[in-house]
Amino acid sequence: MRVFQNLVLSLVLSVTWACGGSRSEPVEVHSEGVEIAAAVEPADLRVGKNVLWLELRDDEGAPLEGADVDVKVHMHAMGAMPAMGGPASVTEVGAGRYRADFELAMGSTWNVEIAARGPEGVVARAEGSLTVGAPGVRLEGVGSGATAPTTTTESDPEPHAEGRHPAEFQIPTGRLQRVGVRIAPAEMKNFRTTVRAVGRVMAEEPELQDVALKLRGWVGKLYIDAMGDPVEKGETLFTVYSPELYAAQEEYLQALRSQARARDTTAPDRADYLVRAARNRLRLWDISDGELDRIAKRGEPVEHLPIRAPVSGYVVEKNVVEGSAFQPGQRLYRIAPLSRVWVEAEVYEYELPLVQEGQTASVTLPYLPDLSFEATVEYVYPMLDPKTRTARLRLAIPNPDMALRPDMYANVRVHAERGERLVVPQSAVLFAGERSFVFRSLGDGRFRPQAVEIGLRSGEELEVLSGLEAGDPIVTSATFLIASESRLRAALEQW
């Protein structure tokens, strides 16, 4: 440290660095094994051109030459005022010394960020602020081994050796009570968030049944003649006339008669074969065994053969009328069992990590908000809609009372369990542009703005990804009043 104090002394005495005028007392900080000494010129900063002088040395006091030094003096956007400032022009002047030229466009407090990358790739960082019309630069180290700033003079009325953050402020206790400030610790909680989506009710695709014949013919009498009609399995839908079907019945009956005569002979096997072949032909045309037995008992072909429902459900598609002709494979009816239905919902691309199969969900109807259905996420489709950037997910819901009908719209809430997370009340977070902040309580009415990274929201609570630890006391109410009392203009610009 004695070596470093000597180099600071040389920094103060080396007035040949300057273009004229006085220079502020240097401030020293430590970060990642690098000592950083900084001073500004002129000592009282002004609107216009200024200089930030830096001197870098390692722990052994050797000058850090050839470092890649970045200096940024800037002011964040506030309301309608855009961001100002930016990177400074940095020049190496030798012996571990660097000059950063920057320009201040207005009288205010500006944010300072310093990053120095040494030959071994280690990056030392420091950050702080400077104010037009005020002496010096306020600075503190960032990262491993960071130390509070110190100065080499006793003339500073508020030395930074106590480690105070440049943006720290104090409010009298009486004023805090009058504005109703409450302070509470950040807590670890079981965090549960909700993904909201709009869904559409639809029939279960695997349970849909089409009625289509494998031969050509004509419709006789319709027994189920309207869409939406309920049907029971085995109930007659319509009758059909088909010359092919009529001829096949004749062959079947002839084979039966041949079989009866063959029983009195010594060669019944061939007759049995003909019966089986004729019966199988009709069965392959979806004629049931019960219908074949009735034809055999009747002893003559049925001109208009009944076609029966393969499942119980509701007719959701009907493509025939009495007397209409049909071709093989043509869909005549579609029947949907609705005792259980699907709800397909769309979630945004960024919500996909929160949704997975097996999660519970609740479904409500817009016109029946008091009625809620419990559902399960059965499937998350593997593709996205390229236009809306949304993904579909499928939920299955029992529907014994037929409250859910195909093509209804539904509100879907998928419950995502996040486990133990650090959370704070939403009222504690102040959003400033692209960054978020809380006010951390330091005791005795002292506060410091703390940058935090916010994750998901659950009700009135927010997930904190970084910037706080469990138990850290923060302001949870009257946040904007605290901001006003602390003259937030200067504090925000320092952050």
Side-chain angles (χ1 to χ4, degrees):
M1 179 58 70
R2 182 166 58 250
V3 174
F4 187 71
Q5 290 174 346
N6 292 335
L7 74 90
V8 173
L9 182 59
S10 68
L11 175 66
V12 177
L13 296 176
S14 300
V15 296
T16 56
W17 293 6
C19 299
S22 62
R23 185 179 305 149
S24 69
E25 295 292 339
V27 177
E28 306 169 19
V29 295
H30 184 279
S31 172
E32 303 293 347
V34 176
E35 299 285 352
I36 304 175
V40 292
E41 183 182 344
D44 292 334
L45 291 159
R46 62 195 175 194
V47 175
K49 295 182 179 180
N50 299 270
V51 179
L52 175 66
W53 295 99
L54 300 174
E55 187 162 358
L56 310 178
R57 292 186 178 259
D58 59 23
D59 283 338
E60 298 179 357
L64 189 60
E65 298 181 341
D68 184 8
V69 179
D70 293 321
V71 176
K72 186 178 181 182
V73 182
H74 64 102
M75 182 185 298
H76 291 296
M78 293 185 63
M81 185 179 71
M84 292 186 288
S89 175
V90 180
T91 306
E92 183 174 3
V93 297
R97 299 166 183 167
Y98 300 83
R99 169 179 174 149
D101 292 274
F102 62 96
E103 189 169 349
L104 302 180
M106 61 180 288
S108 186
T109 300
W110 295 73
N111 191 42
V112 178
E113 297 176 6
I114 301 171
R117 183 186 298 273
E120 297 181 357
V122 177
V123 180
R125 299 182 185 276
E127 63 179 26
S129 62
L130 47 82
T131 303
V132 172
V137 57
R138 295 173 291 278
L139 208 65
E140 66 176 9
V142 178
S144 176
T147 61
T150 59
T151 65
T152 58
T153 177
E154 297 180 358
S155 62
D156 188 353
E158 290 186 348
H160 295 285
E162 297 179 1
R164 292 186 61 180
H165 190 279
E168 184 179 318
F169 59 91
Q170 189 168 14
I171 300 176
T173 304
R175 190 179 296 274
L176 291 176
Q177 294 175 349
R178 285 195 297 272
V179 299
V181 174
R182 290 199 300 269
I183 298 172
E187 297 180 278
M188 294 293 295
K189 289 185 177 180
N190 187 25
F191 191 74
R192 185 189 196 192
T193 189
T194 301
V195 177
R196 292 175 172 83
V198 175
R200 184 174 67 89
V201 180
M202 57 188 301
E204 284 189 293
E205 289 182 3
E207 301 300 323
L208 293 175
Q209 288 282 340
D210 283 346
V211 177
L213 301 183
K214 300 172 183 176
L215 43 78
R216 62 179 54 85
W218 287 263
V219 175
K221 181 176 177 56
L222 284 178
Y223 291 90
I224 302 297
D225 57 0
M227 285 184 56
D229 284 351
V231 296
E232 296 294 333
K233 183 177 180 179
E235 183 179 354
T236 300
L237 298 174
F238 61 96
T239 61
V240 61
Y241 167 73
S242 170
E244 298 175 66
L245 189 57
Y246 192 88
Q249 292 180 73
E250 285 280 15
E251 292 178 7
Y252 174 53
L253 293 172
Q254 183 62 39
L256 287 175
R257 287 191 286 269
S258 298
Q259 184 185 47
R261 290 193 299 270
R263 288 175 182 167
D264 300 330
T265 68
T266 57
D269 294 342
R270 177 172 175 77
D272 293 342
Y273 168 76
L274 292 175
V275 170
R276 286 195 301 270
R279 190 179 180 93
N280 284 338
R281 183 181 181 187
L282 289 168
R283 188 184 291 118
L284 291 174
W285 281 340
D286 297 325
I287 307 302
S288 66
D289 287 337
E291 202 65 49
L292 293 175
D293 292 339
R294 281 189 286 271
I295 293 172
K297 185 176 181 181
R298 177 187 174 96
E300 61 182 20
V302 178
E303 184 175 341
H304 288 87
L305 196 67
I307 303 299
R308 304 181 187 277
V311 294
S312 300
Y314 295 83
V315 175
V316 296
E317 188 174 336
K318 171 181 168 289
N319 299 314
V320 294
V321 294
E322 288 189 0
S324 61
F326 57 84
Q327 297 297 320
Q330 179 183 342
R331 181 192 299 164
L332 306 179
Y333 284 84
R334 172 166 281 186
I335 301 173
L338 299 177
S339 58
R340 204 174 84 127
V341 295
W342 284 353
V343 173
E344 283 199 349
E346 293 188 353
V347 297
Y348 289 105
E349 186 176 359
Y350 69 88
E351 295 174 318
L352 273 177
L354 302 176
V355 179
Q356 57 186 359
E357 296 175 12
Q359 286 178 315
T360 59
S362 58
V363 176
T364 58
L365 302 175
Y367 59 91
L368 291 175
D370 296 333
L371 184 61
S372 179
F373 302 87
E374 295 301 317
T376 303
V377 178
E378 279 201 342
Y379 189 64
V380 179
Y381 289 83
M383 69 289 289
L384 288 179
D385 187 319
K387 295 181 180 179
T388 62
R389 307 307 301 168
T390 57
R392 288 189 303 156
L393 56 91
R394 188 174 73 216
L395 302 93
I397 308 177
N399 188 34
D401 299 329
M402 282 296 296
L404 298 171
R405 299 168 185 262
D407 292 324
M408 278 183 171
Y409 283 109
N411 297 319
V412 178
R413 291 175 173 84
V414 181
H415 310 304
E417 299 289 346
R418 299 279 289 171
E420 288 287 320
R421 301 285 174 166
L422 183 65
V423 298
V424 297
Q426 184 179 353
S427 59
V429 180
L430 182 67
F431 297 94
E434 296 182 354
R435 306 178 72 187
S436 305
F437 303 89
V438 297
F439 288 104
R440 184 171 178 179
S441 174
L442 306 177
D444 299 326
R446 291 186 299 120
F447 300 93
R448 185 178 79 188
Q450 177 70 47
V452 293
E453 184 180 355
I454 298 300
L456 299 174
R457 175 181 174 179
S458 176
E460 296 301 318
E461 294 183 326
L462 296 174
E463 177 187 15
V464 178
L465 302 179
S466 64
L468 287 177
E469 294 183 359
D472 287 347
I474 59 172
V475 175
T476 59
S477 67
T479 306
F480 283 98
L481 293 175
I482 284 286
S484 175
E485 289 286 341
S486 65
R487 297 182 181 181
L488 189 59
R489 177 188 298 272
L492 274 176
E493 292 162 355
Q494 292 177 39
W495 302 346

